[in-house]
Tab-separated table of all heavy atoms in Angstrom:
chain	number	residue	atom	x	y	z
A	1111	LEU	N	6.077	-1.432	20.483
A	1111	LEU	CA	5.350	-1.120	19.245
A	1111	LEU	C	4.452	0.090	19.560
A	1111	LEU	O	3.725	0.107	20.454
A	1111	LEU	CB	4.521	-2.280	18.776
A	1111	LEU	CG	5.257	-3.540	18.429
A	1111	LEU	CD1	4.340	-4.601	17.760
A	1111	LEU	CD2	6.450	-3.319	17.549
A	1112	LEU	N	4.592	1.107	18.681
A	1112	LEU	CA	3.818	2.354	18.833
A	1112	LEU	C	2.749	2.491	17.807
A	1112	LEU	O	1.615	3.011	18.070
A	1112	LEU	CB	4.736	3.568	18.812
A	1112	LEU	CG	5.883	3.635	19.772
A	1112	LEU	CD1	6.741	4.830	19.571
A	1112	LEU	CD2	5.335	3.444	21.243
A	1113	ASN	N	3.089	2.166	16.573
A	1113	ASN	CA	2.051	2.324	15.461
A	1113	ASN	C	2.424	1.334	14.397
A	1113	ASN	O	3.546	1.064	14.055
A	1113	ASN	CB	2.244	3.761	14.922
A	1113	ASN	CG	1.064	4.147	13.986
A	1113	ASN	OD1	1.162	3.907	12.809
A	1113	ASN	ND2	0.004	4.745	14.582
A	1114	PHE	N	1.317	0.740	13.868
A	1114	PHE	CA	1.518	-0.362	12.823
A	1114	PHE	C	0.454	-0.114	11.796
A	1114	PHE	O	-0.732	-0.007	12.018
A	1114	PHE	CB	1.245	-1.658	13.595
A	1114	PHE	CG	1.426	-2.894	12.687
A	1114	PHE	CD1	2.451	-2.971	11.832
A	1114	PHE	CD2	0.558	-3.954	12.870
A	1114	PHE	CE1	2.610	-4.174	11.060
A	1114	PHE	CE2	0.727	-5.151	12.144
A	1114	PHE	CZ	1.715	-5.262	11.235
A	1115	ASN	N	0.774	-0.107	10.511
A	1115	ASN	CA	-0.125	0.008	9.387
A	1115	ASN	C	0.340	-0.904	8.276
A	1115	ASN	O	1.273	-1.679	8.364
A	1115	ASN	CB	-0.189	1.495	8.980
A	1115	ASN	CG	1.066	2.093	8.501
A	1115	ASN	OD1	1.775	1.574	7.659
A	1115	ASN	ND2	1.481	3.242	9.027
A	1116	THR	N	-0.380	-0.763	7.244
A	1116	THR	CA	-0.248	-1.704	6.129
A	1116	THR	C	1.141	-1.798	5.545
A	1116	THR	O	1.572	-2.878	5.112
A	1116	THR	CB	-1.244	-1.400	5.041
A	1116	THR	OG1	-2.532	-1.348	5.597
A	1116	THR	CG2	-1.273	-2.447	3.878
A	1117	ASP	N	1.917	-0.748	5.632
A	1117	ASP	CA	3.279	-0.820	5.004
A	1117	ASP	C	4.398	-0.343	5.932
A	1117	ASP	O	5.505	-0.149	5.496
A	1117	ASP	CB	3.295	-0.006	3.699
A	1117	ASP	CG	3.090	1.510	3.926
A	1117	ASP	OD1	2.821	1.908	5.127
A	1117	ASP	OD2	3.188	2.207	2.965
A	1118	GLY	N	4.075	-0.245	7.248
A	1118	GLY	CA	5.115	0.239	8.161
A	1118	GLY	C	4.931	0.038	9.606
A	1118	GLY	O	3.827	-0.338	10.047
A	1119	LEU	N	5.979	0.294	10.326
A	1119	LEU	CA	5.975	0.031	11.821
A	1119	LEU	C	6.812	1.019	12.493
A	1119	LEU	O	7.924	1.413	12.155
A	1119	LEU	CB	6.601	-1.351	11.992
A	1119	LEU	CG	6.574	-1.897	13.442
A	1119	LEU	CD1	5.254	-2.216	13.996
A	1119	LEU	CD2	7.489	-3.270	13.429
A	1120	MET	N	6.170	1.666	13.602
A	1120	MET	CA	6.915	2.599	14.451
A	1120	MET	C	7.132	1.944	15.845
A	1120	MET	O	6.229	1.288	16.292
A	1120	MET	CB	6.212	3.889	14.624
A	1120	MET	CG	6.960	4.952	15.410
A	1120	MET	SD	6.022	6.471	15.736
A	1120	MET	CE	5.829	7.141	14.180
A	1121	TYR	N	8.320	2.115	16.440
A	1121	TYR	CA	8.564	1.506	17.662
A	1121	TYR	C	9.651	2.334	18.438
A	1121	TYR	O	10.311	3.220	17.894
A	1121	TYR	CB	9.119	0.085	17.462
A	1121	TYR	CG	10.359	0.093	16.474
A	1121	TYR	CD1	11.613	0.375	16.966
A	1121	TYR	CD2	10.124	-0.053	15.120
A	1121	TYR	CE1	12.640	0.367	16.042
A	1121	TYR	CE2	11.130	-0.079	14.303
A	1121	TYR	CZ	12.420	0.178	14.699
A	1121	TYR	OH	13.519	0.251	13.774
A	1122	SER	N	9.729	2.110	19.743
A	1122	SER	CA	10.781	2.597	20.516
A	1122	SER	C	11.623	1.436	20.987
A	1122	SER	O	11.148	0.361	21.228
A	1122	SER	CB	10.245	3.454	21.682
A	1122	SER	OG	9.630	2.614	22.666
A	1123	VAL	N	12.953	1.695	21.186
A	1123	VAL	CA	13.853	0.580	21.564
A	1123	VAL	C	15.112	1.265	22.196
A	1123	VAL	O	15.467	2.348	21.860
A	1123	VAL	CB	14.240	-0.226	20.364
A	1123	VAL	CG1	15.123	0.592	19.367
A	1123	VAL	CG2	14.927	-1.585	20.697
A	1124	ASP	N	15.713	0.449	23.070
A	1124	ASP	CA	16.994	0.934	23.645
A	1124	ASP	C	17.999	0.926	22.577
A	1124	ASP	O	18.143	-0.070	21.746
A	1124	ASP	CB	17.386	0.030	24.792
A	1124	ASP	CG	18.568	0.655	25.622
A	1124	ASP	OD1	18.292	1.521	26.493
A	1124	ASP	OD2	19.754	0.255	25.264
Side-chain angles (χ1 to χ4, degrees):
L1111 301 185
L1112 304 179
N1113 193 271
F1114 182 42
N1115 59 51
T1116 305
D1117 65 356
L1119 182 66
M1120 186 188 292
Y1121 52 85
S1122 65
V1123 69
D1124 190 86

